[in-house]
Amino acid sequence: RRLTEEGEQFRVHSMSSDTSLFNVARLLTGFSRPYRVIADKGLASSSVKIETADSALVGHIHKVFPDAIAFDMEGFGFYRGLKGNNKSLWVKGVADNGESQVGTTGGRDAKQVDQRKATENAIDFAIDVVRAWLDTEKA
């Protein structure tokens, strides 16, 4: 990555350079954004929905995978479905910390606002990653 008068450029300098989607995403985490981006932590996937942050499953995941920063149910299925055949990157917008669903209309509405904002942030970051990755492919 380098900064020129024309703006930031990504280019491959040798065969040892890794311009994978993940490494492009890692480079982009250093940019100032109105939301937090983490690229060097693990994402734990489970086959069950986690309803409470102090559940036994969360404790087990923290113990076995201490670098996990978030949990989801979809990431594992996404990568399993690809079977290693495609260049891909899972971008996760985290909207909660595993708390139980709120039973009131106001609580659900507030949760949906948080979820929508997390989705918008994930989309924004994913588009930036794809654009930067395409720039490395052209170089």
Side-chain angles (χ1 to χ4, degrees), residues 56-70:
L57 177 59
V58 171
H60 176 73
I61 292 171
H62 278 301
K63 181 178 177 183
V64 177
F65 302 105
D67 68 331
I69 191 85

Side-chain angles (χ1 to χ4, degrees), residues 64-116:
V64 177
F65 302 105
D67 68 331
I69 191 85
F71 309 97
D72 80 353
M73 294 176 61
E74 302 84 11
F76 174 75
F78 174 78
Y79 282 112
R80 184 175 181 195
L82 290 174
K83 299 179 182 174
N85 293 326
N86 297 307
K87 293 180 180 180
S88 62
L89 177 69
W90 182 255
V91 176
K92 178 74 176 174
V94 179
D96 60 49
N97 63 359
E99 69 271 2
S100 298
Q101 296 295 322
V102 179
T104 65
T105 301
R108 285 190 297 272
D109 290 346
K111 176 93 168 183
Q112 287 177 352
V113 168
D114 291 343
Q115 290 171 332
R116 190 172 16 258

Side-chain angles (χ1 to χ4, degrees), residues 10-138:
F10 297 88
R11 73 174 192 185
V12 180
H13 292 281
S14 70
M15 294 303 290
S16 65
S17 295
D18 186 348
T19 57
S20 68
L21 285 169
F22 176 74
N23 281 319
V24 171
R26 180 185 288 149
L27 286 172
L28 293 178
T29 61
F31 287 63
S32 177
R33 299 182 184 281
Y35 51 85
R36 188 173 171 201
V37 176
I38 301 170
D40 289 318
K41 295 284 186 176
L43 174 67
S45 289
S46 70
S47 59
V48 297
K49 186 174 183 179
I50 299 170
E51 289 285 342
T52 176
D54 60 355
S55 72
L57 177 59
V58 171
H60 176 73
I61 292 171
H62 278 301
K63 181 178 177 183
V64 177
F65 302 105
D67 68 331
I69 191 85
F71 309 97
D72 80 353
M73 294 176 61
E74 302 84 11
F76 174 75
F78 174 78
Y79 282 112
R80 184 175 181 195
L82 290 174
K83 299 179 182 174
N85 293 326
N86 297 307
K87 293 180 180 180
S88 62
L89 177 69
W90 182 255
V91 176
K92 178 74 176 174
V94 179
D96 60 49
N97 63 359
E99 69 271 2
S100 298
Q101 296 295 322
V102 179
T104 65
T105 301
R108 285 190 297 272
D109 290 346
K111 176 93 168 183
Q112 287 177 352
V113 168
D114 291 343
Q115 290 171 332
R116 190 172 16 258
K117 189 64 180 167
T119 300
E120 291 169 359
N121 293 343
I123 291 168
D124 178 71
F125 184 73
I127 289 170
D128 283 353
V129 169
V130 170
R131 284 183 178 147
W133 184 73
L134 289 172
D135 286 345
T136 65
E137 293 293 298
K138 292 176 192 173

